[in-house]
Amino acid sequence: MSLIKCPECGHQVSSKAETCPECGVRIAGNVKRCPICQRTVLMYVAQCPHCHTRFETQPEIMLEPGGEGEGEVAPHSAPEGATDASSSVNTSTDAPSGAVGEGNGSVAPKKGMPWYLLLFIIVVIGVGGYLYWDNYQQRRYSEEKAFNLLRDCNDPLNFEDFIARYPNSEHLEEVRAQLRELQKEDAVWEVVAGSSNTEDYRNFIQTHPRSPFVKVAQHKIDSLDWREADSKGTSEAYDRYIAAHAAGEYVTEAYSARDAARAREERALRDSLAAEQARADSLASAEAAMGIDELVQ
């Protein structure tokens, strides 16, 4: 499970959700990530709407309908009114030597392929070969670029997209192994996510430092530590939170709460000292009065 932005409304949603709870667009199996800007887009789009990167698509093979002979080229029938080639044989006595004549069983020698037709075929083969080679090189470049981007990626959705786009890649097994590790990581996070113990989140961060859930775990630690400090309400508790979360989400509130707690504690201390002094003065007065009584007696 991973958190993504809905490509339609930008709402945070799980990549395994059937639809976006905000706009209702289908999510599971209907989104992919742009390998350049890493934005989430719908599966059917041919170009990223953010960075305008064109996505590579498989060419479609179009077959002519033809029943059992589908895909075969039907021979062209002769145009109506055309005469048979055999009927156009010159049978005059002026025909050149070697031509088929009336009552003559000899066959005229076949002419070779015209040079311009041969040249055309060579050019077509050369252009087709170059286009095939160029397309292969571009695909290899695109594949290597996408694979290199996965080195610093921790989103299972990108790995699934690579496997779908390059099923014959030489990196396929390595990508699949990394995807399995990320899926195990997702399973561990699903267990940890419901914990109220900060140690569980710290252990997750230490074990999976590249996980996309690290920021969520840090937020949970920050929130739980703040909740504990605020429940105690002492300046010491607020100081501990500030020391552990110098850039925390609640650090501004922690400073204000600490100052207020210190003022309360100082006031309570002064009141306590004043009460102690009053008790001491009272005892001193009582002792002095007892001394005077003893002298009088």
Side-chain angles (χ1 to χ4, degrees):
M1 180 185 70
S2 57
L3 300 176
I4 62 173
K5 286 188 176 181
C6 174
E8 287 293 324
C9 65
H11 183 74
Q12 288 283 347
V13 63
S14 170
S15 63
K16 295 183 179 180
E18 285 296 323
T19 59
C20 173
E22 189 72 16
C23 66
V25 70
R26 188 163 65 87
I27 298 296
N30 192 39
V31 294
K32 59 184 177 182
R33 283 199 189 272
C34 174
I36 303 302
C37 68
Q38 298 296 308
R39 300 288 189 89
T40 305
V41 298
L42 293 174
M43 186 66 75
Y44 63 82
V45 300
Q47 179 174 317
C48 177
H50 307 287
C51 67
H52 306 294
T53 298
R54 294 193 63 83
F55 301 122
E56 188 171 335
T57 57
Q58 295 292 338
E60 297 182 357
I61 302 176
M62 304 299 293
L63 299 177
E64 294 291 336
E68 295 181 355
E70 185 173 4
E72 299 178 356
V73 179
H76 294 285
S77 57
E80 185 177 357
T83 59
D84 192 347
S86 60
S87 63
S88 62
V89 177
N90 187 0
T91 58
S92 66
T93 56
D94 296 332
S97 176
V100 177
E102 185 177 357
N104 187 357
S106 62
V107 180
K110 295 182 179 178
K111 293 183 178 180
M113 182 180 296
W115 67 268
Y116 53 85
L117 182 58
L118 180 61
L119 178 62
F120 174 76
I121 294 174
I122 293 174
V123 170
V124 169
I125 293 175
V127 172
Y130 171 78
L131 291 177
Y132 176 81
W133 177 84
D134 184 63
N135 181 68
Y136 173 78
Q137 291 297 323
Q138 288 184 6
R139 183 171 179 82
R140 285 285 298 167
Y141 173 77
S142 176
E143 176 185 329
E144 289 299 320
K145 186 175 181 180
F147 177 71
N148 290 331
L149 289 173
L150 291 180
R151 296 183 187 277
D152 299 322
C153 178
N154 49 22
D155 190 340
L157 196 62
N158 284 340
F159 288 82
E160 293 172 357
D161 181 61
F162 182 93
I163 293 172
R165 292 174 59 192
Y166 308 105
N168 299 319
S169 171
E170 62 182 12
H171 307 296
L172 193 61
E173 289 305 318
E174 182 179 352
V175 172
R176 282 175 174 167
Q178 293 177 1
L179 176 60
R180 286 193 293 269
E181 289 300 319
L182 290 175
Q183 289 171 341
K184 291 179 182 178
E185 185 179 287
D186 284 356
V188 173
W189 172 252
E190 288 183 1
V191 175
V192 174
S195 175
S196 59
N197 187 350
T198 56
E199 287 304 315
D200 292 336
Y201 296 103
R202 289 190 174 93
N203 291 336
F204 179 85
I205 294 173
Q206 184 176 2
T207 309
H208 308 282
R210 296 180 64 248
S211 171
F213 301 110
V214 165
K215 290 185 178 180
V216 182
Q218 291 172 341
H219 167 75
K220 294 287 289 186
I221 293 172
D222 186 34
S223 298
L224 290 172
D225 284 350
W226 166 250
R227 190 182 305 170
E228 180 182 2
D230 200 40
S231 64
K232 291 181 178 179
T234 64
S235 61
E236 183 181 358
Y238 291 122
D239 279 334
R240 282 198 301 270
Y241 172 82
I242 293 170
H245 305 279
E249 296 180 34
Y250 307 96
V251 69
T252 302
E253 299 175 35
Y255 276 114
S256 299
R258 183 194 63 179
D259 293 341
R262 281 181 178 175
R264 291 195 305 270
E265 292 166 358
E266 290 174 357
R267 186 167 55 252
L269 180 60
R270 287 196 301 270
D271 293 344
S272 176
L273 292 175
E276 289 292 334
Q277 185 63 42
R279 282 195 296 271
D281 292 343
S282 178
L283 288 174
S285 298
E287 290 175 356
M290 288 177 63
I292 292 173
D293 291 340
E294 289 176 358
L295 290 174
V296 170
Q297 291 177 0

